[in-house]
Every structure is written in C-alpha cells, then in structure tokens.
Amino acid sequence: MHFPRAARVPARHTAVWLAMACLFHAVCGQAASGVQPLIATEALDQQNLGPNIEYLADPDGQLTISDILTGRAAAGFRDLENDNINFGYTSVGYWFRFRIQNPFDQDIDLYLEARYPLLDHVRLHKPGADGTYLEVGMGDHQPFGSRPLRFNIFVDRLHIPAKSTQTFYLHVRTTSTFDVPLFVSATDPFIEHVHDAQWVLGIFYGVIFGLIAYNLFIYLSTREKAFLFYVLYLVCTYGYSSALDGIHFRMFPDAVGWQQYSIYVSANSSVVFLFLFAIEYLALREVGGWMLRLTRFGLGVNVAVILSHLVLDITITAKLAVMVGILSFIYAMVIGVVRLMHGYRAARIYVLSFGVFILMGIVAMLAAWGILPIFELSLYGFKITILLQLILLSLALGDRINILKEREFKLEKEAISAHAESKATSDFLAKMSHEIRTPMNGVMGMAELLGDTPLNRIQSHYLNVITSSGRALLGVINDILDYSKIEAGKMELEEIDFNLEELANECVSVFSLKADEKNLEFVLSIEPETPVALRGDPTRLRQVILNLMGNAFKFTDRGHVMLKVRPVRNSNNNPNIHFEISDTGIGMTEDVRRKLFASFTQADASTSRKYGGTGLGLAISKQLVELMGGKIGVNSKPKQGSTFWFNIPEVDALNPEELPAFRKVELGRFPMLIVDDQTQFCRVMQEEMLPLGVSVDIAPSGKIVSRLVSKANERGDPYRIIAINKELPDDSGYTVARAISEIVDRDRTRIILMTGLRDNEEQSHLDAAGIDMAINKPLSSAQFRDVLALLLAPAPRRAGERVPAEARVERDFSHLRVLVVEDNEVNLMVIRGMLKKISLEADTATNGLRAVEAVKQAEQPYDLVLMDCEMPEMDGYDATRGIRAYEAQKALKESVIIALSAHVMAESRNKSIDAGMNDHMSKPVNLSVLQQKLAHWFPE
C-alpha cells in the first residue's frame, strides 16, 4: 500500500499557540458537541461514520483548516439529520468533523473510505505528530496516480495513537450529487472487504460481457436490429457502471476532464440505444402514432443532452442528464405497458424487466438518501437491478425469436394458402375471360363487318349501341383481369424510353370527341420545365391517366376538364412528375374520398346506376401508381369539382435522341393574340408560352379584337399570330378573321382558326376569310408551339392544311397464303370477313388435327396461320408443335403462326410462344390490330 502524501498547512501562529488550539478542540470541542467519538478497535468492520459526524457549510469555499482550528468557524458545526451524508445537487462546499478514540494501550491503524467515486474535490485533514494538521488530497479532479491509496473509491489510512482521541476534518466540494458515504474499517476487515468488492465487480462485469458476446453472436447470425441495439445498450451500460464504480480512473488515469463527463455521456447514450431497441422490439413502426413519434422525440432529446456537454457547464448538464435519464426510463416502461395492453405478447418480459429496474432503483435511491435504513442496498442493489434488467431483456429477446418463428411459420402457411387462392382465382378469371371473349369476338367482329354494309339511320344507331356496349363490357373484363394480376403480384412494369408529351397528347385525343359531345372545355397543360424524355412503363401510365380522365368526364356535365403535368420534388427531394386531372363536376364528400380507392367502390348505389362503372378503375390506378413508386390522391368538395393527382419518380430516358424532339423548336420573341372565351385554355397558353418568348394577349369576344390589333400596329409591335376560336359568344370566328385581315400586314401576321374536332373546314371558306391555317382543339401548349413554328417557317403552309400526323400506310397483303384454324363457326366467319376486307382469301380448319393435315397437303406452304388455342381433338399448342416438326423434317421455311386466344394473361402469351408460335392476338379480334400484326411480320 502507498502512504499518504501530506501537505503541511503553513502555521500562522506559534507552535505553542497551535498546541493550545488543538488541546482546546480536543477538550472543549468534545464537551460542546452531542456527537460521540467513534471507538477504534482491531475488529472494526465497515463502520458507518454518519452518527459520529458534524458538518459545516462553506458556501464561498473560503474557509481553511486554520479558520476551523482557531475557533472562528468551529461554532458553526452541526449534527447530521440522519446517518447518511447526502445533500443532492449543490454547488456549496462542506466541512465534516469526526473524532476517533483509541482506549487501548497500542496504536491502531484504520482505513477511511469515501465510497462515491465521482466527488470532485476531497481534502482530508488529519492531526500530525507535532500538533499541526496534514492535508491529503483526493477527488476525481486530480490524476489517479496522486491518490494516497490507489482504489476506485477514495481511501486513506488513519493512525490513532494509544490512549488518545483524534479529531479529523474532511472538506468536500463537487458538481455531481453530493453523496459522501463514509466508512471506517480496521486493517484485516478492510482487506477482506476489498477482496469481496473486487469479486462482486468481477461477477457483475463478467455477466455483462457474456451478455454482450452472446447477443452479438445472435445478431451476426440473424441480422435482427433489436439484438444490435441491445448489444449497444449493454456496452453503454457497461460504460456507465464502470464510471459509477470509478473504474474509468484506472483505465484513463490522466483523463481527468473526461472522467467528469463519462458517466453522463454513457448514461444518455444507453437511453438512446434503449429507445432504438424499444422501436424494434416493441414493433413501434408497425403501430406508428404517438408512441413512435414520442419515442423518436425522446431519442433526439437524449442526443441533444449528450451534445450539450460540449457547450454547457458540467453543473448544468449533470442535472439535465439525470433528469432526462430518469424520465426516459419511466417512458420506456410506459410504452411497454401500452403495448402489453394492446395484446403484444413480446412486451411481457420487457415490462417485467423495467418494473424490476424502476422498483429497485427507487429503493436504492431512497436508501442512498438515507430515507430507507438499508445502506448496503444502495451499494449493491443498483448493480443487482441492472443485472436483472439486462438478463430479463436478453430472455425477452429469446422469447421474441420464438414469436418471430411462430409468425414466420404462420406467414408461410398464409402465403401457401394465398398462393393457392391466387392460382385458383387466376385460373377462374382466365377461364371466364376465355368463355366471355369467345362469343364477344363474334359480336364485336360481326358488328364491325356490319358497319361496312349499307345501313339506314336507325340501323346505324342500333349498331353504335351494340359496339359501345361491347366495348364497355370488354373494359369491365380488362379491369377485373388487371386487378387480379395486381392482387396476385403478377403485374410487371416495362422499362422503355417514351416521350411524355406524345403520351399526354394521345390521352387527350381519346377524349376529344367526348369533350365535344358534352361541350366541355378540355385543356392539356404541360409546364415548359417538365422533362419529356422519360423511361418507364408508358402503357400503364397511359392507363392511369385514361382511368382518371374517364372518371372526370363521367361526372362532369359543364365547365372544364384539365390535365396538367409539371415537375415537382418529393419529401426526400427526389425529382418527380406530377399529374393533375381536375374537373368542375359533381365533386364528393369527405366520407366518399376516404374510401374512393378501395376496390368495387363508388360514391353510392345511385352513382353506379346513373354513371356506370365497376368501381375498379381507381383501385387499379392506385395500385399501378404505387407499383411505379409514386403516390395518388384526390381533393374534392361536393358540387365544386374534383382534382385527382398522382406523382411518379422522374427517370430520364437512356436514349432520348431516339424520341421525337418536341422541345427543340425555337420560336423567337413576338406578341400573339388569342380570341377565345375558354378561360382555362387561355390562361394555360399565357403561362406556358411566355417562357418560350411569346407574350399572349387575350380577347374573350370578337368585339374588342379590332381595337387590340390597331393598338398593336400603332405601337409598332404588331401581332405575329392571331388565333381565333370558331365559336365565340358574340360572333363567328370567320367574321372576326375577315375583319382583322383587312387591318394587318398579311406578310407579317398569320391568322389561325381553332375549330372543333368534328369540323372539316372547306378551303374556299378559309381563303375568303384570310385564314392561314385551321387547327382542331383541344390543344396543348406543345402542339400550339409546333403549329407556330410551322406557320412562321420561311414557306408557310396553305390555308386548311393540318398539323402533320403519322401517315397511314395502306399495305397490300393479297399475295399471302393464309390458313385460319378455329372451331367456332361465328368466329370463323368474323375472321374470314376481316381478311376479305384487306383482300385476303383464307383456307380453314376446324381443329388442330385438320390444321396439321392441311399444312402437310398444301401445294404451296402457308405464309400465315391464325391458330385458335383451345379446340377439340387437338388444341392449337399441339397443332403448332406438329406443324413445326413437319417444317423441320421437310426443311421448309417456317410459317408465321399467330395465336388467336380468348386468354389475355401473360401466361397465355408465354405458353403460345413456348409452343412455337410467333405472336399472340387476343379476342375479340380487331381489324386494325390484325393489320398491324401483318405489317410487322410481312414488312415487304
């Protein structure tokens, strides 16, 4: 052991005077005090000095041992209110006085222990041989190596001469809690106690280390985050406990500053990982709500407390850390109880562990404060509590593994069951699709053929009803099949380059006639900053837009429908494309909005009777948007219209140069006048033409046009383009055009007539009115821009010429030899009739066996075989295999075999290709689709 290094207090008076002062304290001090001296014995074992201590407050820290010894402060010492020294958090310093009496004939050595390792300044003053006092410095503010005896706690040796009473003074000041448990032991009991304490610490930290190793191994095996956060919680608890036990002083003997903060940093760090553990273990992400938000908030508060040690004084952060830590552990208990009340089985042991921790922690705290007379519990109870909690949490994790296994087994069973149900559903839907599409092929095909025969007005009307009803029925079938594919997880998205402007204009063209029929203003708005060369699934994107636009037109009888496209950023600041389909229709209530995207849902029963539909379109749209990685929603109020919106991630095209270059037109800067009373269209044109350099003025009627044109001419900046709607509130577009053509420079100003989709303006009427070009509405700003570029080109087009569109090439397929294999007589008639319309005569076979024989007996090989898939005797798949085998045997050129199937699922197409067919065409057969297939397989 090391002997104390003492610092002699400088004498202010003579040695004689000091001797008299010591004698005065020895005699008069004892008589004046009610505190009795401790009787020293060779067997003294762990004697609490609390009953033998007096204390004196030193608020300013100015008192010295000389002040105490000379009697100027001696009168201020008071007895302790209980047997434990604990003043909580205080910045006040205190002096303590105690006396030890040795009644025996031999000297006795005792050991004084201050068992709270976090005391900042500890100064022991003990009497020397010459009557002066020696000062021994301890406390965590000085390096470990300068301690009188190198223990985790503060220890010094007290020498009591025979037949004497010694008075000792202890001065303590600290920023941590002012807890000074003082014990005195004789030599042998002290050594035995040190041995027992080391043994207890070894067990305590050994168990924690074992739990760390065990749970780290499980984490590396399972990759369960709960185990990782539990391990980190153990590590921080290890750090907190070792700081509390003073082990940090041994590990880092010179890091005096760090030792002050280490206990608080490790304590709050343990709470951080405890909250992360609770989020995973209690499945708070699945629950969400206030528990998840409050837990994350508590986590952030503890991180903030940890960081506060960098900027705030230790006296503030210490109190803050303790308060936040206590509240955090109570909250951790509360959320466990709530989850247990919710029926979450894994919370049982979790709640038990925190219940034990909090209960025993309270008992230990009360004992440490002297409220409960069980001081040993305050020394060891906290460690027992920590171990119990850590072991119970480890057991809880084991129980959670069992729960997860049970859940996984249950999910596997449910997945098998769901797969079986999905397969049964898919098979049923495929069968029903086939059974419905087969007769529908006859109905739709015959209707198409009938449309080419002479019909009177009544017959044409009836035929239109049949055709529209058939298309509506096919739409219902397609919706159901799409929905079943999504539900079964079989919907796969394409990844191809496409042009967004082209796709949006195609969608608008589908509803142009509908807008014209209902006299609705129909507007397409694509903001100029919107990227148009994208990569994704244009077919599914088109399906979503058409579904939402169809919904808008269905419920809107007046006003407008608008499709708006613009770039946005999502919550993670990633680029998205935002689509809005707004209308001025009937709107909907909040209750309807909440359930709108559910399957087979409409506003109410009368809605489906009045407006039609299955209620599947919106459900399919929602699931398709989410498959594309986006979000969908709606804003609406009754009688105020609705705005459906959705976002999809912006993915730029890999090969944008291969797409139509809509955005490469440069117009230059010039003024333009639009004469139209459709406010939405005019507003969009104003906003979206301005970034292109075109300033747009609006005239809502024909009355003010001449005045606006004259003013523009007078200021020397005439309009380059004047676009006039054919139907104006007060006049005809032709009349307005004739009037302004007389007051403009025809070499500089171009006049456009905007007409309805069904209008077909005669060239002579356009020339007579001075109109350069007629264009059909609805128009997007992109289309308008292309029109302007065309008109302002050096050689403008003549009046009446339309914007260029893809030319339709009529091909001659009459040279092809065709075999049609179909067992249904009506379908056979339909297909042969369609082939006749494109000058093709076909041989026929009513089943697969006859088809194979027809191929073998043909004088010249067939170029094309249209093969039904499901037939008696031999189906189309086996027939195709037989034909391919014959062609290979005879080294013949393979015929093009196209499947005719009422099945439209991807599996049906794959099955056809696997059998050796070249392509797949679903029923009902459409003439234009048939022509496209022929053009693809016979390009020359």
Side-chain angles (χ1 to χ4, degrees):
M1 293 190 179
H2 300 275
F3 290 94
R5 295 182 295 176
R8 186 176 301 274
V9 179
R12 296 185 179 181
H13 307 281
T14 63
V16 176
W17 190 90
L18 280 174
M20 291 176 62
C22 292
L23 179 62
F24 172 81
H25 275 274
V27 178
C28 299
Q30 180 176 354
S33 173
V35 175
Q36 298 300 314
L38 177 68
I39 305 301
T41 67
E42 293 286 351
L44 195 63
D45 184 11
Q46 301 298 300
Q47 178 63 47
N48 181 12
L49 269 176
N52 307 101
I53 285 182
E54 302 168 288
Y55 74 98
L56 172 68
D58 183 13
D60 301 326
Q62 301 298 319
L63 294 177
T64 65
I65 186 62
S66 298
D67 298 327
I68 301 298
L69 293 176
T70 57
R72 284 184 289 177
F77 278 94
R78 294 185 295 172
D79 296 349
L80 288 174
E81 295 179 3
N82 54 49
D83 291 344
N84 295 324
I85 305 172
N86 194 314
F87 300 133
Y89 283 94
T90 177
S91 59
V92 176
Y94 285 90
W95 284 86
F96 301 96
R97 181 172 65 191
F98 59 92
R99 288 169 296 132
I100 301 178
Q101 181 180 1
N102 179 6
F104 302 102
D105 295 329
Q106 66 276 5
D107 294 354
I108 295 177
D109 284 334
L110 301 177
Y111 288 88
L112 175 68
E113 301 174 60
R115 292 185 179 171
Y116 187 49
L118 304 182
L119 299 173
D120 295 344
H121 301 279
V122 180
R123 296 289 184 267
L124 176 63
H125 300 270
K126 51 187 180 179
D130 57 356
T132 60
Y133 270 79
L134 303 177
E135 180 184 287
V136 179
M138 296 179 284
D140 65 14
H141 263 216
Q142 56 191 76
F144 184 75
S146 65
R147 296 188 181 184
L149 297 175
R150 294 177 185 175
F151 290 99
N152 302 336
I153 58 177
F154 306 118
V155 180
D156 194 16
R157 184 163 51 190
L158 307 179
H159 181 73
I160 315 298
K163 298 290 185 176
S164 68
T165 298
Q166 300 288 312
T167 302
F168 298 89
Y169 294 90
L170 189 71
H171 183 240
V172 179
R173 184 163 51 87
T174 186
T175 55
S176 64
T177 180
F178 203 106
D179 185 10
V180 190
L182 292 178
F183 289 84
V184 174
S185 299
T187 301
D188 290 342
F190 172 72
I191 294 173
E192 183 179 350
H193 170 70
V194 170
H195 177 270
D196 292 343
Q198 295 299 321
W199 183 77
V200 169
L201 289 177
I203 293 177
F204 177 76
Y205 291 108
V207 171
I208 294 181
F209 182 78
L211 290 173
I212 290 173
Y214 172 72
N215 287 281
L216 182 60
F217 173 76
I218 295 179
Y219 165 71
L220 294 175
S221 302
T222 63
R223 297 295 175 178
E224 275 280 326
K225 288 184 179 179
F227 282 94
L228 174 62
F229 294 135
Y230 176 64
V231 167
L232 294 172
Y233 173 62
L234 285 170
V235 170
C236 292
T237 302
Y238 190 105
Y240 168 75
S241 299
S242 60
L244 192 62
D245 290 329
I247 295 175
H248 285 190
F249 302 118
R250 285 183 175 276
M251 297 169 61
F252 312 104
D254 297 321
V256 175
W258 160 246
Q259 290 163 6
Q260 279 193 295
Y261 293 96
S262 62
I263 185 169
Y264 304 113
V265 171
S266 55
N268 290 108
S269 297
S270 70
V271 175
V272 169
F273 292 116
L274 171 62
F275 279 169
L276 291 171
F277 167 78
I279 290 173
E280 297 297 327
Y281 181 81
L282 297 176
L284 296 187
R285 286 195 180 90
E286 298 176 13
V287 180
W290 67 268
M291 280 192 292
L292 180 61
R293 291 195 299 271
L294 201 54
T295 303
R296 286 174 172 168
F297 174 76
L299 192 152
V301 169
N302 278 274
V303 170
V305 170
I306 293 170
L307 297 176
S308 72
H309 292 296
L310 299 174
V311 294
L312 298 179
D313 186 78
I314 183 67
T315 57
I316 299 174
T317 58
K319 297 174 184 178
L320 191 63
V322 171
M323 180 182 67
V324 170
I326 292 172
L327 292 176
S328 296
F329 274 94
I330 293 173
Y331 172 73
M333 172 74 172
V334 169
I335 59 175
V337 171
V338 173
R339 290 295 282 136
L340 187 59
M341 292 171 63
H342 288 171
Y344 189 67
R345 196 184 92 184
R348 295 176 305 174
I349 303 179
Y350 174 93
V351 171
L352 178 62
S353 70
F354 278 93
V356 169
F357 182 83
I358 291 174
L359 178 62
M360 294 193 68
I362 292 173
V363 172
M365 186 181 300
L366 293 176
W369 288 347
I371 299 174
L372 292 180
I374 321 171
F375 195 77
E376 288 299 317
L377 187 60
S378 69
L379 298 178
Y380 301 111
F382 192 60
K383 287 183 172 54
I384 295 171
T385 300
I386 289 176
L387 282 185
L388 278 174
Q389 189 213 27
L390 296 180
I391 292 170
L392 286 171
L393 286 179
S394 184
L395 293 174
L397 281 171
D399 184 53
R400 183 171 184 268
I401 290 293
N402 293 331
I403 293 173
L404 290 175
K405 286 182 179 178
E406 291 174 8
R407 183 184 297 180
E408 185 178 352
F409 178 72
K410 183 179 178 181
L411 289 174
E412 286 180 1
K413 286 182 64 178
E414 291 176 353
I416 293 171
S417 175
H419 178 73
E421 291 178 7
S422 174
K423 187 176 186 307
T425 302
S426 297
D427 291 345
F428 171 76
L429 289 171
K431 180 69 175 175
M432 290 303 298
S433 170
H434 178 270
E435 295 301 324
I436 295 173
R437 283 175 179 275
T438 297
M440 282 298 296
N441 184 56
V443 174
M444 298 295 291
M446 283 298 183
E448 189 170 353
L449 295 175
L450 185 60
D452 291 335
T453 64
L455 300 172
N456 61 35
R457 185 178 61 82
I458 299 296
Q459 290 168 332
S460 295
H461 175 69
Y462 291 165
L463 182 61
N464 288 336
V465 172
I466 292 172
T467 303
S468 61
S469 298
R471 288 173 180 166
L473 180 57
L474 280 177
V476 172
I477 296 170
N478 290 334
D479 278 351
I480 293 173
L481 289 176
D482 275 349
Y483 184 75
S484 68
K485 283 192 282 186
I486 294 172
E487 288 293 294
K490 296 181 179 179
M491 179 69 74
E492 295 182 0
L493 299 178
E494 282 187 305
E495 287 289 334
I496 60 173
D497 292 349
F498 68 95
N499 187 287
L500 181 60
E501 278 187 357
E502 187 177 53
L503 184 145
N505 281 298
E506 287 175 3
C507 292
V508 168
S509 67
V510 171
F511 287 94
S512 296
L513 277 176
K514 177 68 72 174
D516 201 46
E517 289 173 2
K518 302 185 79 170
N519 196 28
L520 295 174
E521 184 180 359
F522 189 19
V523 182
L524 169 60
S525 169
I526 304 177
E527 291 191 0
E529 299 83 6
T530 307
V532 296
L534 302 177
R535 186 170 184 80
D537 190 334
T539 301
R540 296 305 175 189
L541 178 57
R542 183 185 295 107
Q543 183 177 353
V544 174
I545 296 174
L546 292 179
N547 271 341
L548 298 180
M549 288 177 65
N551 201 67
F553 276 100
K554 184 189 298 183
F555 298 107
T556 304
D557 293 325
R558 58 182 178 79
H560 74 269
V561 174
M562 181 165 69
L563 167 61
K564 186 169 186 176
V565 187
R566 58 187 174 89
V568 296
R569 295 245 171 210
N570 66 8
S571 57
N572 296 324
N573 204 35
N574 295 323
N576 274 229
I577 305 297
H578 182 79
F579 298 82
E580 286 183 7
I581 294 89
S582 59
D583 63 64
T584 54
I586 62 175
M588 65 193 79
T589 64
E590 180 66 25
D591 290 339
V592 172
R593 283 204 304 119
R594 279 198 297 267
K595 61 183 181 180
L596 193 62
F597 292 101
S599 309
F600 305 102
T601 297
Q602 291 213 358
D604 52 41
S606 63
T607 302
S608 61
R609 289 196 301 271
K610 182 176 180 180
Y611 297 100
T614 62
L616 269 181
L618 293 179
I620 292 170
S621 297
K622 179 178 187 294
Q623 297 194 51
L624 285 175
V625 168
E626 290 174 351
L627 274 175
M628 289 186 278
K631 292 183 179 180
I632 189 170
V634 61
N635 303 315
S636 181
K637 290 183 179 180
K639 300 181 181 180
Q640 295 185 27
S642 305
T643 299
F644 285 84
W645 59 266
F646 68 94
N647 296 333
I648 59 169
E650 175 194 323
V651 181
D652 295 331
L654 295 181
N655 300 297
E657 66 279 355
E658 298 178 6
L659 298 173
F662 283 109
R663 292 302 175 103
K664 294 183 179 179
V665 174
E666 294 183 3
L667 297 176
R669 297 190 174 275
F670 60 86
M672 170 180 168
L673 176 65
I674 296 180
V675 187
D676 199 338
D677 63 327
Q678 293 188 340
T679 56
Q680 293 292 332
F681 169 73
C682 293
R683 182 178 59 81
V684 168
M685 288 299 131
Q686 271 187 318
E687 292 176 356
E688 298 186 8
M689 297 301 290
L690 188 60
L692 302 176
V694 180
S695 60
V696 178
D697 292 336
I698 304 298
S701 66
K703 293 180 180 179
I704 62 173
V705 174
S706 297
R707 178 163 51 86
L708 291 175
V709 172
S710 298
K711 283 186 177 180
N713 292 339
E714 290 172 4
R715 65 174 177 260
D717 190 18
Y719 294 114
R720 295 291 310 280
I721 299 290
I722 301 177
I724 308 169
N725 195 22
K726 181 181 177 182
E727 302 294 336
L728 294 170
D730 57 349
D731 214 336
S732 163
Y734 279 101
T735 303
V736 175
R738 278 192 293 270
I740 62 175
S741 63
E742 297 176 359
I743 59 175
V744 297
D745 183 351
R746 299 294 290 123
D747 292 331
R748 287 180 55 81
T749 301
R750 306 295 178 198
I751 300 176
I752 301 172
L753 184 69
M754 299 181 293
T755 70
L757 190 66
R758 298 182 181 185
D759 295 334
N760 189 16
E761 308 305 323
E762 293 186 10
Q763 183 68 46
S764 58
H765 292 167
L766 297 172
D767 289 338
I771 297 171
D772 294 276
M773 179 179 287
I775 57 176
N776 296 126
K777 295 174 74 174
L779 283 165
S780 68
S781 59
Q783 290 173 306
F784 218 121
R785 181 193 55 218
D786 295 337
V787 169
L788 300 185
L790 189 65
L791 273 177
L792 299 175
R797 289 180 171 269
R798 296 291 303 159
E801 293 188 34
R802 305 293 182 177
V803 180
E806 183 180 354
R808 184 174 179 179
V809 180
E810 297 292 343
R811 295 284 309 282
D812 181 15
F813 301 109
S814 59
H815 63 284
L816 300 178
R817 286 181 47 79
V818 182
L819 173 66
V820 178
V821 186
E822 172 64 69
D823 65 319
N824 185 289
E825 292 184 7
V826 175
N827 287 338
L828 192 59
M829 290 173 59
V830 168
I831 296 168
R832 291 187 66 185
M834 289 183 176
L835 291 173
K836 278 186 178 181
K837 292 181 72 173
I838 52 176
S839 304
L840 272 173
E841 292 292 334
D843 296 336
T844 61
T846 55
N847 61 48
L849 282 175
R850 294 182 179 180
V852 175
E853 289 300 318
V855 169
K856 291 180 178 179
Q857 295 173 8
E859 295 180 1
Q860 295 181 5
Y862 288 107
D863 301 298
L864 172 67
V865 179
L866 298 177
M867 180 75 73
D868 187 24
C869 293
E870 296 188 5
M871 296 177 290
E873 297 190 58
M874 178 184 285
D875 62 23
Y877 306 114
D878 289 338
T880 299
R881 295 185 186 97
I883 292 172
R884 294 303 188 211
Y886 175 75
E887 290 171 341
Q889 179 185 353
K890 298 296 185 180
L892 300 174
K893 179 183 177 182
E894 288 189 348
S895 305
V896 174
I897 303 179
I898 300 177
L900 296 177
S901 174
H903 296 299
V904 293
M905 306 289 274
E907 295 87 341
S908 302
R909 176 182 176 82
N910 295 337
K911 187 176 180 181
S912 303
I913 301 303
D914 292 342
M917 301 186 198
N918 300 88
D919 208 338
H920 182 278
M921 191 160 54
S922 60
K923 298 176 182 179
V925 176
N926 182 277
L927 179 58
S928 61
V929 174
L930 178 60
Q931 287 178 293
Q932 290 175 13
K933 297 290 185 184
L934 294 177
H936 175 75
W937 291 106
F938 303 100
E940 296 179 359

